[in-house]
Amino acid sequence: MENSKKIVIVGGGFGGIRAALDLAGKQLPNAKIILINDKPHFEYHPALYRVVTGQSPLEVCIPLREIFIGKNVEILEDTIIKVNLKEKLLKGSSDSHYSFDFLILALGSETAYFNIPGLKEFSFGFKSINEALRLKKHLHEFFNIYTKVAPEERACRAHIIVAGGGASGTELAGEIAIYSKKFARNYKFNPSLVTIDLIEAAARLLPALPDDISKKVENRLHQLRVNIFLNQTVVKEDIKEAYLKNMEMKTKTVIWTAGIKPHHLYSQIKGLTFDNKRRVMVDKFLQAQKWNNVFVIGDAASTPYAGMAQTAIHDGQFVAKVIERKLFSGRQIHPYQPKPPFYAIPVGSGWAAVMIGNLRFYGKIGWWLRRIADLQFFLSILPWCKAISAFQSGKTLCESCAICLPEEVVD
């Protein structure tokens, strides 16, 4: 395509996919849209906790080819390891090089361990399907041999610690609280022997949300017999114990959900500037400061509500409009306006706390509002038949995807 403009999007998460779909939908006559992702699929993280407790990973794994079928988007599987903004050049781990005219960085975030001794080596992360499946397999293996180990070892094996009382931690603790009882019955020991502790460094759960939401979620977790420890932090972990600031807990299962940070590649890119949270400083058009052809969207952009999937989607939509107007001169570009997200925190099957502005919904109503939001998202990126398949538990989208065919575990 002569004189075409290359628009390269790095990252196939919420923001990157939305930007690519919107740009393709605009049918720009002089643009080539390229999406580079390190995996051949998109992972729907809001439903990741369900993978741990028995749902098919295919429910949250959507092949990129299904999303972009028939769209004018070239999909490349590669891990970008170097970005040269001055030369407009990217380097992948495959040793391939990619030039760009416009660059959208949508790499998202990764787990932060805060240099806590032993945590990275011995805890379970919760940022990908592979990590969720690893945790699921671990739980099955531990419960399977529970009655075969020495009595003094059993309490350690049936003790699960979730570190981090934010949205991910509370969702996971609630789900495991219900499912671990099923584990115990399946493996023929008393479900009351399973202990689940939720550790939070702040004075209450969900510290980013209003106090009334926190109290409702805390009450729900208590009903599910989850022990909650506030004003506590993990200071060390080894193979058999987790050490808090003033107590020790015998366990071989610590699930770490307490820290995230912008993807490490951002800090290696020369020419970017950062705020005190190591997020990239952007202007009123989500352009990296001093670079009018480089955009940063989603978790790593220094904007209000960064870190939310809804924010990443909003960012992707906005940047697609900005690039369209840059390619078609004379059209006014309106500054970025942050969009407050709504919050939906499921805590065990059939119950969720939902906040939409000043409105609150709890229990079954909240649960169905959350499920409707899931369905709306799937409908926004997939044909309706595929969206329904992704929404329904146990339905599959790709039967041959290597990522989605892990080792067999007991359901």
Side-chain angles (χ1 to χ4, degrees), residues 113-139:
Y113 294 100
F114 306 121
N115 296 317
I116 298 172
L119 194 61
K120 186 174 183 179
E121 293 78 10
F122 298 112
S123 69
F124 290 84
F126 196 62
K127 286 284 290 178
S128 71
I129 287 175
N130 282 340
E131 287 183 328
L133 287 169
R134 175 173 166 257
L135 174 58
K136 177 183 176 182
K137 184 178 179 182
H138 165 82
L139 292 175

Side-chain angles (χ1 to χ4, degrees), residues 341-358:
F342 76 87
Y343 297 86
I345 314 295
V347 187
S349 181
W351 195 100
V354 173
M355 183 179 80
I356 306 174
N358 293 323

Side-chain angles (χ1 to χ4, degrees), residues 138-139 141-143 145-147 149-150 152-160 189 193-194 250-253:
H138 165 82
L139 292 175
E141 289 174 345
F142 265 38
F143 284 120
I145 64 172
Y146 178 84
T147 58
V149 300
E152 61 270 18
E153 179 74 8
R154 292 177 184 175
C156 179
R157 287 186 175 272
H159 186 191
I160 300 167
F189 67 91
L193 297 174
V194 179
K250 289 190 177 297
T251 181
K252 290 189 175 181
T253 309

Side-chain angles (χ1 to χ4, degrees), residues 287-302:
Q287 296 169 148
Q289 288 189 350
K290 300 179 182 179
W291 301 95
N292 63 7
N293 65 330
V294 178
F295 301 84
V296 180
I297 64 176
D299 295 0
S302 183

Side-chain angles (χ1 to χ4, degrees), residues 56-124:
S56 167
L58 296 164
E59 186 182 355
V60 296
C61 174
I62 305 175
L64 293 174
R65 67 175 183 271
E66 297 286 354
I67 297 173
F68 293 104
I69 188 168
K71 305 290 195 303
N72 184 29
V73 177
E74 182 179 357
I75 303 169
L76 301 176
E77 185 181 348
D78 201 354
T79 300
I80 298 302
I81 59 174
K82 188 173 182 181
V83 178
N84 189 319
L85 300 182
K86 189 174 181 181
E87 295 184 9
K88 300 181 181 179
L89 197 63
L90 311 174
K91 181 181 179 182
S93 60
S94 64
D95 207 30
S96 296
H97 291 77
Y98 311 96
S99 61
F100 64 85
D101 294 291
F102 292 97
L103 176 64
I104 302 174
L105 293 171
L107 290 158
S109 56
E110 59 191 21
T111 303
Y113 294 100
F114 306 121
N115 296 317
I116 298 172
L119 194 61
K120 186 174 183 179
E121 293 78 10
F122 298 112
S123 69
F124 290 84

Side-chain angles (χ1 to χ4, degrees), residues 116 119 163 199 232-237 242-245 254 256:
I116 298 172
L119 194 61
I199 312 297
Q232 287 286 352
T233 55
V234 177
V235 297
K236 181 183 176 183
E237 185 187 353
Y243 299 84
L244 307 187
K245 62 182 180 181
V254 174
W256 180 251

Side-chain angles (χ1 to χ4, degrees), residues 26-56:
K26 296 177 186 300
Q27 298 182 338
L28 305 176
N30 59 337
K32 182 177 182 181
I33 305 163
I34 301 170
L35 176 67
I36 305 174
N37 195 42
D38 59 355
K39 296 181 286 289
H41 61 273
F42 162 74
E43 296 185 358
Y44 186 61
H45 286 167
L48 193 60
Y49 68 94
R50 294 202 290 269
V51 173
V52 177
T53 57
Q55 299 296 335
S56 167

